[in-house]
Amino acid sequence: MYSTEILTKYADLVLKIGVNLQKNQGLEIACPVENAYIAEIFAKRAYLHGAKIVKIRWSCESVDKINFENASVDALKEVPKWFVDSKNYLVENNFCYIAIDSDDPFAFKDIPAEKLFAVQKAKSKALKKFSDSVMSNGIRWCVVSLPSKGWAEKVFPNDADPQNKLFAEIIKTMRLNSNDPVKEWQAHIFKLESRAEFLNANRFKYLHFTNSLGTDIKVGLADNHKWLSAKELAKDGVGFVANIPTEEVFTAPHKDRIDGIVYSALPLSYNGQVIDEFCFKFRKGKIVEFSAKKGYGTLKELINTDKGTLSLGEVALIGKNSPIAKSQILFYNTLFDENASCHLALGKGYPTTVDNGEKLSVKELKSLGVNDSVEHVDFMIGTPDLNVHGIKEDGSSILIFKDGEWVI
């Protein structure tokens, strides 16, 4: 469907900049069967870059749907020990991990939300050791996307060839249309890092978000927090980029210091269902009221997953002139939509967003204000008129965003 040249550039970018595969290192790729051809290219390129072994973990959304429609909740909630062990094996043996996301945002729209959440909750609990390792950079990982037929048709329902059109847009967001995508990404990473350095130097106590939708919320920042950007360091000391594309600078909110109301700026695709036009009211770090014009039941199940999903685990800043935002395309995919808009995340905070956080226990992280949960779900709040002020300990204020864009 796509040229070998562009897919090779795609694979090389993810292998070099994304997971930064090292010689004699294992690699696992999670890939939908519909996109098997890209897994083959990734495997071939990985071996050229020195991989020790490449393993593929296949998925099939249509079969998943058949299971949801026919199997009992109890059967679906069973997570085999071999599956859990296979995920933990990746961390224990220093594998890199690439996830190719092609989900149809409406794939499970006819499945009861309660059933989906029961299964998701069981799986999240079973894989908590692995997900905790991922979020503390115990493994180098990267999430990327390739269009599936179902996803592309939702984004471009009236196009004669929606998959090619969607992939053309993904190429732009990943900077694959440049002569040297790796060099382009190195320059992009440098720019994001400079913004993170500015925020770290100012040591803001909280951020104040306001816009015409009605958002008026103060998000306290965790004690000893640090702002991160595209490039992070894994526990083995090797740098990597967890999301391609990415436009964000992010850190950890303080789970007990969030007050005000926040309105969604874009729909949220979650668990094969769409939540839209929703808002949360926070008091002392917890959601005390919420509403949604679409997907209310799904949202209710999400925020009641555990105690942690009633608070926030991430705050991220992204200007309205990012390539994704300028495209004016609603991707119905969090990887892209979150990089078109400032966003927050319900659930678990990244340990790496506080000083030496990867070495701290959950209890120690909580004492600094870092939230814990089995979930981490981003939702978009950035609008073209969003203003963000950084407030320091002494009460002084610095304007960071004006009308949706950086001013620093």
Side-chain angles (χ1 to χ4, degrees):
M1 182 184 295
Y2 314 119
S3 74
T4 301
E5 179 185 2
I6 198 69
L7 290 176
T8 299
K9 290 170 73 173
Y10 183 107
D12 285 344
L13 176 65
V14 178
L15 291 165
K16 290 181 180 180
I17 295 294
V19 295
N20 197 359
L21 182 71
Q22 304 294 293
K23 288 186 177 179
N24 204 35
Q25 186 171 27
L27 170 68
E28 179 171 284
I29 303 168
C31 182
V33 292
E34 182 177 336
N35 289 324
Y37 61 93
I38 190 66
E40 292 182 17
I41 293 175
F42 266 83
K44 290 177 181 177
R45 299 305 295 178
Y47 280 115
L48 289 175
H49 290 299
K52 177 182 179 181
I53 187 70
V54 179
K55 297 180 180 293
I56 310 295
R57 190 182 296 272
W58 301 108
S59 62
C60 182
E61 206 166 48
S62 61
V63 172
D64 289 341
K65 184 176 181 180
I66 291 170
N67 282 328
F68 274 116
E69 290 173 334
N70 294 279
S72 68
V73 172
D74 287 342
L76 290 166
K77 285 168 59 178
E78 292 178 7
V79 183
K81 184 177 182 298
W82 64 262
F83 179 76
V84 176
D85 290 344
S86 71
K87 301 292 281 186
N88 293 335
Y89 175 90
L90 302 180
V91 180
E92 294 161 0
N93 291 275
N94 194 33
F95 268 60
C96 288
Y97 178 71
I98 295 170
I100 300 174
D101 181 14
S102 300
D103 290 351
D104 176 348
F106 297 92
F108 305 129
K109 64 182 178 65
D110 298 323
I111 306 298
E114 299 80 8
K115 193 172 193 179
L116 290 168
F117 273 95
V119 176
Q120 178 64 29
K121 187 173 182 178
K123 189 174 181 180
S124 295
K125 285 185 176 180
L127 295 177
K128 192 171 189 306
K129 180 179 178 181
F130 174 72
S131 61
D132 284 352
S133 295
V134 168
M135 295 191 74
S136 61
N137 293 351
I139 185 173
R140 275 176 279 122
W141 56 283
C142 184
V143 180
V144 293
S145 287
L146 202 70
S148 64
K149 183 176 183 293
W151 175 26
E153 288 174 348
K154 297 303 183 294
V155 180
F156 299 113
N158 301 315
D159 197 87
D161 190 355
Q163 275 184 278
N164 267 312
K165 186 172 178 62
L166 181 53
F167 190 55
E169 295 299 332
I170 290 174
I171 286 171
K172 294 176 188 176
T173 67
M174 294 179 70
R175 296 170 169 81
L176 289 171
N177 52 350
S178 65
N179 291 329
D180 190 342
V182 171
K183 187 176 180 180
E184 286 284 327
W185 270 89
Q186 289 169 339
H188 176 53
I189 289 167
F190 179 80
K191 186 175 183 179
L192 292 176
E193 286 179 337
S194 67
R195 285 174 171 154
E197 288 172 4
F198 172 87
L199 295 168
N200 284 325
N202 277 278
R203 304 305 306 164
F204 294 117
K205 183 177 182 181
Y206 64 88
L207 301 182
H208 186 195
F209 295 83
T210 57
N211 68 14
S212 60
L213 284 179
T215 290
D216 186 353
I217 189 169
K218 292 181 179 180
V219 179
L221 303 180
D223 299 338
N224 300 336
H225 72 274
K226 61 181 178 181
W227 289 89
L228 301 176
S229 59
K231 188 175 181 179
E232 300 182 61
L233 281 181
K235 286 185 177 179
D236 62 5
V238 179
F240 72 104
V241 175
N243 294 323
I244 297 179
T246 183
E247 304 288 337
E248 68 181 323
V249 178
F250 64 99
T251 193
H254 194 294
K255 64 182 180 64
D256 301 321
R257 301 173 188 163
I258 307 160
D259 292 277
I261 190 166
V262 60
Y263 287 81
S264 65
L266 293 169
L268 170 63
S269 175
Y270 179 76
N271 238 359
Q273 302 198 28
V274 173
I275 310 167
D276 198 9
E277 295 187 60
F278 57 97
C279 72
F280 301 114
K281 185 176 182 180
F282 285 85
R283 186 178 300 131
K284 295 183 179 179
K286 297 290 187 293
I287 295 172
V288 293
E289 294 179 23
F290 72 97
S291 66
K293 289 189 177 179
K294 183 176 183 179
Y296 178 87
T298 301
L299 185 61
K300 182 179 180 180
E301 292 289 340
L302 170 58
I303 66 173
N304 288 299
T305 300
D306 57 28
K307 291 181 180 179
T309 44
L310 286 170
S311 191
L312 299 177
E314 180 187 358
V315 54
L317 301 177
I318 295 148
K320 68 181 181 183
N321 291 312
S322 75
I324 299 173
K326 289 171 72 174
S327 75
Q328 295 290 300
I329 295 170
L330 178 60
F331 285 89
Y332 291 104
N333 180 294
T334 302
L335 175 63
F336 294 91
D337 292 336
E338 74 169 6
N339 283 296
S341 168
C342 291
H343 58 268
L344 304 171
L346 298 171
K348 187 176 179 64
Y350 291 101
T352 52
T353 51
V354 294
D355 292 334
N356 298 311
E358 62 275 12
K359 299 177 182 178
L360 302 179
S361 66
V362 170
K363 184 177 181 179
E364 290 170 324
L365 288 166
K366 283 184 175 181
S367 72
L368 297 174
V370 180
N371 198 30
D372 187 45
S373 173
V374 297
E375 284 283 8
H376 178 96
V377 180
D378 299 291
F379 65 97
M380 288 57 77
I381 67 167
T383 57
D385 65 348
L386 182 72
N387 292 327
V388 184
H389 286 82
I391 314 299
K392 295 188 176 183
E393 188 75 40
D394 63 4
S396 60
S397 172
I398 294 178
L399 183 64
I400 300 172
F401 266 63
K402 180 175 174 57
D403 292 331
E405 190 53 84
W406 292 94
V407 295
I408 60 172

